[in-house]
Amino acid sequence: MPPSGKPPMPDGAEKALLLSLYFRYVHPVFPILYKSHFLQRAFDRDRPQSPALMSAVFAAASTYKAREATNEGEMARARIQMVVHFQRAKLYLDEQYTHNSMATILTLLLMSVYEQGTMSTRSWLYSGMAIRKAYDMGLHRDVGVSKNNIKSVVSATEAEIRQRAWWGCYIMDIMVSATLGRPTSIRDFTFDAPYPTRFGEDDDELLLGALSTADGSHMSQPESPPDSYEPRRNVPVAERMRDYAALTIGDSDSDDSDGASAKQPRRPLRSQAGRAAGEYYLDLLHILGHVLTEMYTCKPHRSYASSYCLHDINSRTERLIVLDHELRRWKQALPPNLQYSTDDILATRPARCVYIALIHIVYHTALILLHRPFISKLGEQNSQASPSVSDDHHMHGSDLGSPGGSVSSGGSARPNTTSPLPSHSICTLSAQMISLIGQAIIQHSRVYIMPFLTFMMFTAGTMHLNNVIVAAESWLARRFLKRTLDVMSRLGAHWQVSYKCYTMLSALVRANRIDLDQ
């Protein structure tokens, strides 16, 4: 232990290995660092990178070093080093805690990721501190570089660093809030920071990883879909609801309703050519954030409610329709190179890139979280066979696009009395998709998408468990529940949070006396 009381930093060879692991596994799915700028500082002796941030990066990378260990001894050493790096990051952070800097925010975000892997509520605390420091530094505002403002007070590089840090805060806010059931901290009307403008500049970021072919060459961007998704930010649900005033459930997105066209122009569309895959991911998380705030927030107390309160203007059913439509538009706007076909999912074939699988798992998780509050209580549901994912079209296809629509290979799903959509069928089909994609990731990839995958698998598992309890004779629900538990068990060898969730779900199975081998 050096005189400073902190564990020593890794040497040159170990440092290079850990940085390689970080940018191979963590960075593509969580690109909060501007890689070229970060690495330049990491090896600059005159202007070295923050030791707190370097330690947090080493801690995140060490989790993957443990997975690459060839024996138990190497794995044990890697896990000890992981804890050492994390504790060093905390010690350095304590020294600069009251000083707001970009390095402090990035350190807190990576520490939040680390703690999420242990299912600790400290993950929420670290991400919350990062968000408040980001607000304090003004990272939530557009500094003008994205608008080619010659009066911008920061350089393009500094603007990129700011944008990545801010959207890293946004990603962690959504993921941690969804995982732990906490309220989100960031609201649409509080920021106007644009997306990072240099997604894909580094050769191993999500964009190029997603658009690469098997031989390593890069695909050209496809032409824009006929009705591309343009996210609408900072717009209240009350206003967005008017855009769908004449929409009937099951309408095609390209259909123009005479009533709606006369009152409201269609949303502005822009070409998707050249859009980074990371932007689609952030679009989806933006919708997921709306799901969390619109469906899982408390209704204001009567004494606090006002005439313009969203909870009074819009019913939950109206918000369900709006958000379901937003998710559907997002899915239809994905270019071909970001699609994950139903046939491939059913065959548990891997996606072209593991991060494409992440996008689709998040999509199905958002659908479950959106529709789950509209599922009837257990005692009110009819016993029925679980819906199947065997249809080539998804739950937003023709059969499920209208109230009371049928479900292939599984009988008719009884529509919920409080929802105009077949919410139970949508949740069931999305849970099946998550289980199949998770199995493909486990079978074909060593990248387990950080701890995020655990929450999504647990969400799918609880849906399968619900279906087994409601329909005791449903062999399909049992099959998918067993499949999900198998994936979570294998994840448990790498993530502590996965083992905890696997243990909880297994306990629920035993408590309900469910025989998965029946």
Side-chain angles (χ1 to χ4, degrees):
M1 186 79 69
S4 63
K6 302 181 183 69
M9 286 285 195
D11 58 21
E14 179 71 8
K15 176 181 178 180
L17 173 62
L18 291 174
L19 289 176
S20 174
L21 290 171
Y22 178 87
F23 284 104
R24 187 188 314 166
Y25 294 128
V26 181
H27 181 70
V29 70
F30 195 47
I32 60 174
L33 302 179
Y34 191 11
K35 181 180 176 182
S36 55
H37 180 270
F38 174 83
L39 290 179
Q40 182 180 6
R41 292 282 303 274
F43 293 96
D44 189 337
R45 295 186 177 182
D46 296 328
R47 296 178 63 237
Q49 189 58 265
S50 162
L53 177 56
M54 291 296 294
S55 298
V57 168
F58 294 150
S62 294
T63 62
Y64 291 91
K65 183 181 179 182
R67 291 170 197 168
E68 294 195 343
T70 57
N71 56 64
E72 293 184 1
E74 288 184 7
M75 181 178 295
R77 284 191 295 272
R79 288 179 173 172
I80 292 174
Q81 291 172 358
M82 177 175 62
V83 175
V84 169
H85 293 315
F86 183 77
Q87 293 301 323
R88 188 195 311 112
K90 289 179 63 177
L91 291 173
Y92 278 114
L93 189 64
D94 288 341
E95 296 178 354
Q96 58 190 55
Y97 191 69
T98 58
H99 174 64
N100 290 342
S101 67
M102 205 70 63
T104 302
I105 294 172
L106 296 173
T107 300
L108 285 167
L109 289 175
L110 289 175
M111 290 172 69
S112 178
V113 171
Y114 179 95
E115 291 289 9
Q116 193 179 28
T118 65
M119 203 177 179
S120 170
T121 55
R122 288 189 295 269
S123 176
W124 187 60
L125 298 177
Y126 285 138
S127 63
M129 288 188 285
I131 291 168
R132 281 152 185 78
K133 287 180 176 292
Y135 273 121
D136 197 37
M137 290 185 63
L139 303 188
H140 60 296
R141 299 309 307 268
D142 186 351
V143 293
V145 173
S146 63
K147 301 174 183 178
N148 297 319
N149 186 349
I150 61 174
K151 297 182 180 180
S152 175
V153 295
V154 301
S155 66
T157 298
E158 180 65 22
E160 181 72 8
I161 295 172
R162 290 170 58 93
Q163 290 161 6
R164 286 174 181 253
W166 171 255
W167 286 102
C169 290
Y170 189 86
I171 291 172
M172 288 308 297
D173 186 38
I174 298 298
M175 289 298 189
V176 174
S177 296
T179 302
L180 298 178
R182 303 287 193 272
T184 56
S185 301
I186 299 176
R187 296 291 188 268
D188 278 0
F189 53 82
T190 64
F191 71 93
D192 61 358
Y195 287 164
T197 56
R198 301 185 182 182
F199 264 133
E201 184 172 288
D202 300 322
D203 59 6
D204 57 358
E205 283 191 2
L206 188 147
L207 169 66
L208 295 185
L211 303 186
S212 296
T213 57
D215 60 3
S217 60
H218 298 301
M219 299 172 58
S220 59
Q221 284 281 0
E223 295 183 359
S224 169
D227 189 15
S228 302
Y229 174 73
E230 171 66 20
R232 303 185 66 196
R233 304 181 185 89
N234 311 326
V235 181
V237 172
E239 180 177 336
R240 284 186 289 150
M241 189 62 204
R242 288 195 289 270
D243 291 342
Y244 306 110
L247 176 70
T248 57
I249 306 302
D251 280 352
S252 168
D253 290 327
S254 60
D255 291 342
D256 288 323
S257 171
D258 294 339
S261 300
K263 296 179 181 180
Q264 290 285 336
R266 288 187 61 81
R267 287 189 265 179
L269 305 178
R270 65 186 173 106
S271 173
Q272 304 299 299
R275 284 199 79 196
E279 293 186 24
Y280 287 97
Y281 180 44
L282 292 178
D283 286 345
L284 177 58
L285 289 180
H286 186 82
I287 302 174
L288 177 56
H290 276 291
V291 170
L292 297 177
T293 55
E294 298 296 342
M295 294 297 167
Y296 292 91
T297 52
C298 301
K299 185 175 182 180
H301 191 275
R302 185 179 299 276
S303 61
Y304 302 138
S306 61
S307 59
Y308 55 85
C309 180
L310 282 180
H311 288 275
D312 292 335
I313 292 176
N314 297 112
S315 69
R316 296 182 77 207
T317 301
E318 291 173 325
R319 281 175 266 158
L320 169 69
I321 295 172
V322 170
L323 294 172
D324 182 86
H325 192 78
E326 292 283 344
L327 285 168
R328 180 152 47 109
R329 284 179 59 86
W330 176 89
K331 180 69 161 54
Q332 291 179 343
L334 283 179
N337 49 15
L338 293 182
Q339 294 287 351
Y340 195 1
S341 72
T342 304
D343 289 340
D344 286 342
I345 294 175
L346 287 173
T348 62
R349 287 191 288 267
R352 180 183 300 110
C353 168
V354 69
Y355 307 110
I356 294 178
L358 168 64
I359 290 176
H360 286 268
I361 284 185
V362 174
Y363 167 75
H364 291 294
T365 302
L367 278 173
I368 293 177
L369 295 178
L370 174 61
H371 287 273
R372 191 169 60 187
F374 295 87
I375 297 177
S376 302
K377 295 180 180 179
L378 294 182
E380 298 174 359
Q381 294 184 25
N382 286 339
S383 295
Q384 60 184 24
S386 297
S388 167
V389 294
S390 58
D391 274 344
D392 188 49
H393 62 268
H394 197 261
M395 65 279 299
H396 286 126
S398 58
D399 288 343
L400 294 178
S402 58
S406 62
V407 190
S408 70
S409 305
S412 175
R414 177 171 173 257
N416 192 299
T417 56
T418 61
S419 171
L421 297 169
S423 292
H424 178 263
S425 297
I426 291 173
C427 287
T428 298
L429 291 169
S430 285
Q432 292 172 357
M433 288 288 188
I434 291 172
S435 299
L436 291 168
I437 296 173
Q439 186 176 26
I441 291 175
I442 290 295
Q443 290 177 349
H444 303 285
S445 175
R446 291 162 62 182
V447 183
Y448 297 144
I449 319 182
M450 306 188 343
F452 300 155
L453 182 59
T454 298
F455 164 68
M456 301 165 197
M457 295 303 303
F458 186 78
T459 301
T462 54
M463 191 64 216
H464 298 318
L465 178 63
N466 172 81
N467 289 336
V468 172
I469 295 174
V470 172
E473 302 302 323
S474 175
W475 63 271
L476 191 59
R478 293 170 186 269
R479 176 182 174 185
F480 274 99
L481 179 56
K482 184 177 181 180
R483 188 189 302 249
T484 304
L485 284 169
D486 178 65
V487 173
M488 294 179 67
S489 174
R490 296 175 65 177
L491 285 173
H494 304 281
W495 296 109
Q496 185 178 352
V497 63
S498 302
Y499 179 76
K500 290 180 179 179
C501 289
Y502 167 77
T503 302
M504 286 189 292
L505 194 57
S506 297
L508 289 172
V509 171
R510 291 192 299 272
N512 287 277
R513 299 179 180 179
I514 298 173
D515 183 5
L516 297 180
D517 295 324
Q518 184 176 346

